[in-house]
Amino acid sequence: MRAFLTAILTFLLFAAPLAAQADIQLKKNDHKKLGKPFSVWLTGKLEADFEATTGALEDLSGAIVDLEKKTRGVPVLSMVADWGFVLDAYRTFSTKGLKKGKTTLQEIPGDRGAYAQFLPKKYKGKQSWPLLVILPGDHLEPEAAIQQLPTEMLEQCIVVAPDMRDLKPGEALSESKGRLRLLLPLSIVSGSLMVDRSRVMLLGLGSGAADASTLAAAQPGVFSAYAWAGGAIASDLAEGNLALISGKEHPDAPSALTWLLGHAPRNAYPLEMDIQFTNDWSKRFFYVWAKPDTGVEGRTPRMKVVVDRESNTIRIDAEAVEKVDIFLNAVLLDLDKPVQVVRNGENYVFNARRSTGTILEYFLNTLDSSSIYTAKIRGLSIPAVAK
């Protein structure tokens, strides 16, 4: 199963409090009623058990119907905040064999290198914990990168640090080997440990500072904030991308972690984004997943997205982008009304249909229970800009 899960995670890598705070509307027992069939579905999905997944979906649909008898007309699928609890309600996280309170070296499946890991002594697999991802650069052993942090600070979060000593300094993400080394540990611990995905922190040390800033610009929706110490960030970063995530330089690793731990959780649903697609391996930005137009040479694909809930409109002004998938929820827009999507001046009207399938699809793709989407616009074409 572990090999199968790793294969899924590898594919997914390349293929959060809320922006407008949603209220918890269901009770804890309701979360469990929905969470139990979800857990069966997830296990069946990872083990390719079609019969189990089919039965679990039927049970989940039945549980939703039963709950809607007492929600007074409010669709259960509109309760964004509740579904974050549902997705974690029955997920099981074994603590058997885990070494807590110390740093251990973990092998990345598929002979893809190793990463160091620290688990707090109080980790029990039931409460979600912040996650710190350290990029130690080419000069520092991953265990040493973790051990330079004070114990009292380490005990506040799970920590992973990939071994970067054989990667190109400051350019680890430029090759698939480096990307897998840096990104797979996050996916592995998200699937095996109780991680609060709204509080995934990124810290670059030495030459790892450049890689941390590059990763933050490429995937700002993954991290709550990023920090660096002892090195310089990359110089060719897209400003609009970085505007979606806080970053700050610090004199040393302990002060950087102090700042990161005090930072607010990630805003999973920004209402404005000005994105540049500066590489060929990251095309997902929060709720918009894009397909750049590869036939356009000499132009960097870019896209400005503005969500206006008052008019129930998403405005997209894009260049060299062919298509987009847009994930939606009740925090972003009123899905009981038609959604207007204006693409380079041309309007498209979308009548949303909430579905458990969309919730489950997004979770399986990201293993992120703090980003919940109940409807999806698939493969929406972007008209070319008139010259």
Side-chain angles (χ1 to χ4, degrees):
M1 176 177 171
R2 182 179 175 87
F4 181 77
L5 176 59
T6 301
I8 288 180
L9 295 172
T10 302
F11 168 77
L12 298 178
L13 282 170
F14 300 100
L18 310 180
Q21 184 65 43
D23 294 328
I24 303 297
Q25 301 181 60
L26 298 176
K27 297 180 180 179
K28 187 175 182 179
N29 284 340
D30 297 330
H31 295 153
K32 290 183 176 181
K33 289 177 184 178
L34 296 171
K36 187 173 183 178
F38 164 72
S39 178
V40 175
W41 174 86
L42 180 62
T43 300
K45 197 72 174 178
L46 295 177
E47 296 180 350
D49 187 337
F50 178 77
E51 184 176 350
T53 56
T54 301
L57 285 176
E58 292 176 355
D59 292 342
L60 182 58
S61 297
I64 290 173
V65 170
D66 289 343
L67 283 177
E68 287 185 339
K69 294 176 182 178
K70 61 179 183 181
T71 58
R72 299 181 180 180
V74 180
V76 169
L77 289 177
S78 70
M79 301 175 184
V80 176
D82 286 280
W83 278 93
F85 290 94
V86 169
L87 296 185
D88 283 336
Y90 264 90
R91 292 182 69 198
T92 56
F93 298 89
S94 174
T95 58
K96 185 178 180 180
L98 293 178
K99 295 182 179 180
K100 295 184 284 186
K102 59 179 63 177
T103 302
T104 60
L105 195 64
Q106 308 287 325
E107 295 295 326
I108 300 175
D111 195 27
R112 294 190 173 97
Y115 64 96
Q117 175 179 289
F118 178 88
L119 281 180
K121 290 180 179 179
K122 294 183 178 180
Y123 176 83
K124 298 183 183 300
K126 297 180 180 180
Q127 175 185 351
S128 61
W129 286 75
L131 172 65
L132 172 66
V133 179
I134 300 177
L135 303 188
D138 65 316
H139 69 296
L140 194 59
E141 292 182 354
E143 301 100 313
I146 295 176
Q147 291 166 353
Q148 67 178 286
L149 294 166
T151 302
E152 62 271 18
M153 298 179 71
L154 290 175
E155 287 294 336
Q156 299 180 53
C157 56
I158 300 168
V159 187
V160 296
D163 189 345
M164 300 176 63
R165 289 173 295 171
D166 63 332
L167 302 178
K168 190 181 299 184
E171 299 180 33
L173 291 161
S174 63
E175 299 177 353
S176 61
K177 172 185 176 181
R179 291 194 292 274
L180 288 168
R181 182 82 58 79
L182 271 55
L183 295 172
L184 272 177
L186 169 59
S187 293
I188 292 170
V189 299
S190 293
S192 60
L193 300 174
M194 192 68 165
V195 172
D196 181 353
R197 288 295 299 269
S198 73
R199 297 195 65 201
V200 179
M201 306 165 289
L202 180 61
L203 172 59
L205 302 176
S207 63
D211 296 305
S213 61
T214 300
L215 182 55
Q219 298 188 336
V222 173
F223 305 100
S224 57
Y226 76 104
W228 66 97
I233 61 173
S235 59
D236 55 347
L237 302 173
E239 292 185 4
N241 298 23
L242 287 180
L244 296 167
I245 180 172
S246 297
K248 186 177 180 182
E249 183 178 11
H250 297 268
D252 52 46
S255 61
L257 181 52
T258 298
W259 180 77
L260 288 167
L261 287 169
H263 198 279
R266 172 198 57 181
N267 171 16
Y269 313 118
L271 300 182
E272 293 191 23
M273 299 186 288
D274 192 353
I275 306 161
Q276 289 188 45
F277 301 93
T278 57
N279 59 67
D280 60 0
W281 53 269
S282 182
K283 303 294 182 287
R284 302 174 177 181
F285 287 80
F286 297 90
Y287 48 87
V288 178
W289 296 5
K291 179 183 179 182
D293 189 346
T294 57
V296 179
E297 296 183 2
R299 286 188 290 172
T300 299
R302 62 186 309 146
M303 180 168 56
K304 184 173 183 180
V305 180
V306 178
V307 176
D308 180 14
R309 186 176 174 85
E310 185 175 350
S311 62
N312 228 39
T313 299
I314 303 175
R315 182 174 297 278
I316 299 176
D317 295 307
E319 182 178 0
V321 174
E322 182 181 344
K323 295 180 179 180
V324 294
D325 288 347
I326 307 174
F327 289 86
L328 302 172
N329 62 27
V331 176
L332 292 167
L333 295 163
D334 185 347
L335 300 187
D336 292 320
K337 300 177 180 178
V339 174
Q340 312 292 324
V341 186
V342 182
R343 309 144 298 142
N344 286 343
E346 293 189 17
N347 193 37
Y348 171 80
V349 179
F350 178 69
N351 294 298
R353 179 179 177 273
R354 299 183 182 93
S355 74
T356 54
T358 301
I359 295 175
L360 301 179
E361 173 193 355
Y362 192 91
F363 181 81
L364 190 62
N365 271 270
T366 63
L367 297 179
D368 183 355
S369 60
S370 64
S371 295
I372 304 296
Y373 298 100
T374 57
K376 180 181 179 181
I377 304 175
R378 301 177 185 270
L380 183 62
S381 61
I382 303 296
V385 178
K387 295 182 179 179

